[in-house]
Amino acid sequence: MNDMCSVAPVITIDGPGGSGKGTIAQMLASALGWNLLDSGALYRLTALAARNHGVDMENPEALGVLAQHLDVQFLALESGDTKVVLEGEEVTNEIRTEEIGLMASRVATLPAVRDGLFKRQQAFKDTPGLVADGRDMGTVVFVEAGLKVYLTASAQERAERRYKQLQAKGMDVKLAQLLEAIEARDWQDMNRAIAPLKPAEGALEIDSTAMSIDDVFNTIMAEAKKRQMISS
Ligand code: DC
């Protein structure tokens, strides 16, 4: 990490799947003109690469090597969305399925995979600042972050949100199955031995079940201003 990187302010947004972290992180990064790290995408890409290359899910070493050497590009589109490219092929939608989400959650339990992705995640920290979204951004990867947010919502609400999101993308999904997958993933993410999902010390905890996206965004912006991370 160079000196430029070390002065870049960081806002971390951790929380369970479907809590709105991705949307909020994207809104914050674009409003502030900061860099964006979608760390979940890296775990999803590791899972997809493992499937594509027929790497055994029971082989931690091979999965660790795969994570470390992922050939991936995140391309910012004018619409504000990000195009994700793995080994030269666009996989933006492919990594968003619940199947890949569950596989990602499984590979994420492996220390070799977490170590393999650690430096790559830290490299996103650069001026003028970084918004990092994931499960352990505030507890492990950016412990020095000036603002750590823990964003959650009830499992039912998260399942309904994801249902609408996937339906809008034209994917064929069932609400009950989504709820089941979300609960299974929560359990796996919160109960793993390494870097389990939990609020970081001093985190601003936001339950977004009954909040609009704009309310969540405004709450975080107000806190960042209060902490003088951004100007009013
Ligand atoms: O945020 P997401 O749903 O795209 O993440 C997919 C999985 O990746 C999640 O269930 C657990 C894992 N993950 C993780 O272990 N640590 C992170 N910082 C981000 C995601």
Side-chain angles (χ1 to χ4, degrees):
M1 203 187 301
N2 60 36
D3 285 348
M4 289 276 284
C5 290
S6 59
V7 296
V10 180
I11 298 177
T12 59
I13 320 263
D14 288 309
S19 57
K21 288 173 295 131
T23 308
I24 289 292
Q26 205 169 29
M27 283 170 77
L28 288 168
S30 110
L32 297 170
W34 288 10
N35 300 292
L36 175 67
L37 166 60
D38 171 4
S39 62
L42 293 171
Y43 289 92
R44 288 172 181 267
L45 285 158
T46 304
L48 180 62
R51 196 178 70 180
N52 288 351
H53 292 292
V55 175
D56 186 356
M57 293 295 282
E58 305 300 326
N59 185 341
E61 274 139 54
L63 290 167
V65 171
L66 197 67
Q68 207 176 341
H69 297 285
L70 274 185
D71 170 12
V72 54
Q73 286 168 287
F74 294 100
L75 306 172
L77 302 177
E78 266 180 37
S79 60
D81 291 336
T82 303
K83 179 172 166 179
V84 186
V85 177
L86 176 66
E87 294 166 14
E89 254 184 56
E90 175 166 13
V91 294
T92 315
N93 288 336
E94 204 177 343
I95 58 166
R96 295 293 155 201
T97 63
E98 284 309 308
E99 186 206 345
I100 292 293
L102 262 177
M103 277 176 78
S105 168
R106 213 170 132 204
V107 300
T109 62
L110 303 171
V113 169
R114 305 202 75 83
D115 289 349
L117 294 177
F118 187 74
K119 284 208 186 97
R120 193 190 288 257
Q121 295 175 83
Q122 287 200 323
F124 278 77
K125 181 174 168 179
D126 203 351
T127 49
L130 173 68
V131 182
D133 140 29
R135 301 290 186 290
D136 64 341
M137 297 293 95
T139 51
V140 177
V141 183
F142 302 106
V143 284
E144 73 286 9
L147 174 56
K148 300 177 182 184
V149 176
Y150 189 77
L151 184 60
T152 189
S154 72
Q156 181 69 34
E157 172 71 16
R158 288 183 283 129
E160 282 171 21
R161 286 181 193 167
R162 186 139 291 182
Y163 179 72
K164 285 181 198 147
Q165 250 175 19
L166 295 176
Q167 260 201 336
K169 285 186 181 163
M171 296 187 192
D172 181 25
V173 283
K174 302 249 173 333
L175 182 61
Q177 277 172 6
L178 280 179
L179 180 60
E180 206 175 297
I182 277 181
E183 284 174 339
R185 202 140 67 85
D186 281 358
W187 195 91
Q188 195 157 257
D189 292 346
M190 289 172 176
N191 291 285
R192 67 184 178 217
I194 296 164
L197 170 63
K198 61 175 182 189
E201 225 184 291
L204 170 68
E205 295 190 36
I206 303 176
D207 181 342
S208 74
T209 306
M211 285 171 86
S212 70
I213 288 281
D214 284 342
D215 287 344
V216 176
F217 172 82
N218 291 332
T219 304
I220 298 173
M221 285 292 275
E223 187 65 27
K225 280 178 194 156
K226 201 167 106 193
R227 295 181 188 207
Q228 297 181 329
M229 294 177 74
I230 55 177
S231 49
S232 315

